[in-house]
């Protein structure tokens, strides 16, 4: 069965695109996001307990770092799969799409 770019990233006429992460990658990302979710709940509890602000801020920095790591993994996978496939299919607009996304990530 041939799996072209349309199967992985959606065809160029499609409004909704999909990724094609392996089960191992999905598991890794889900695990990381579950930890981040727990950290967020921990920060909320810290605020409710009137924890010293510097301690809360350090936890916020840790969550931001963890989210950045998830973003980097997703960006790498996206560039190595969907972006390459779309460029090979002649869909050069993916470069502009990627640039907008990278700018958002770098804020």
């Amino acid at each position: 069965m041939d799996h072209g770019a349309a199967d992985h990233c959606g065809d160029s006429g499609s409004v909704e695109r999909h990724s094609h992460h392996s089960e191992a990658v999905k598991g890794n990302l889900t695990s990381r996001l579950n930890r981040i979710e727990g950290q967020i709940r921990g920060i909320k509890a810290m605020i409710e307990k009137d924890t010293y602000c510097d301690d809360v801020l350090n936890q916020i920095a840790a969550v931001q770092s963890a989210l950045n790591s998830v973003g980097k993994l997703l960006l790498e996978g996206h560039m190595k799969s969907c972006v390459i496939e779309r460029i090979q299919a002649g869909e050069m607009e993916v470069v502009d799409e990627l640039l907008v996304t990278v700018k958002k990530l770098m804020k």
Side-chain angles (χ1 to χ4, degrees):
M1 182 175 191
D2 180 34
H3 292 287
D7 290 331
H8 297 300
C9 301
D11 61 44
S12 59
S14 171
V15 174
E16 184 178 350
R17 294 188 182 277
H18 298 280
S19 64
H20 50 96
H21 305 295
S22 70
E23 289 306 314
V25 170
K26 282 184 193 180
N28 183 7
L29 293 171
T30 300
S31 176
R32 288 170 181 262
L33 290 169
N34 285 339
R35 276 196 302 275
I36 292 167
E37 190 175 28
Q39 288 176 290
I40 296 288
R41 283 193 303 271
I43 291 169
K44 194 169 146 185
M46 291 173 81
I47 290 171
E48 290 168 351
K49 294 176 187 173
D50 294 319
T51 302
Y52 183 59
C53 296
D54 191 61
D55 294 337
V56 176
L57 291 168
N58 281 313
Q59 287 303 309
I60 289 172
V63 168
Q64 288 173 329
S65 177
L67 275 173
N68 285 340
S69 292
V70 170
K72 288 174 192 175
L73 286 172
L74 282 167
L75 180 60
E76 179 182 349
H78 182 55
M79 291 178 72
K80 289 180 176 179
S81 60
C82 296
V83 173
I84 289 173
E85 290 169 5
R86 289 184 61 198
I87 288 171
Q88 289 172 341
E91 298 177 39
M92 298 307 292
E93 66 273 10
V94 72
V95 174
D96 291 329
E97 175 187 279
L98 181 61
L99 289 171
V100 168
T101 300
V102 168
K103 286 178 187 176
K104 289 178 185 176
L105 285 171
M106 295 178 74
K107 280 186 179 181

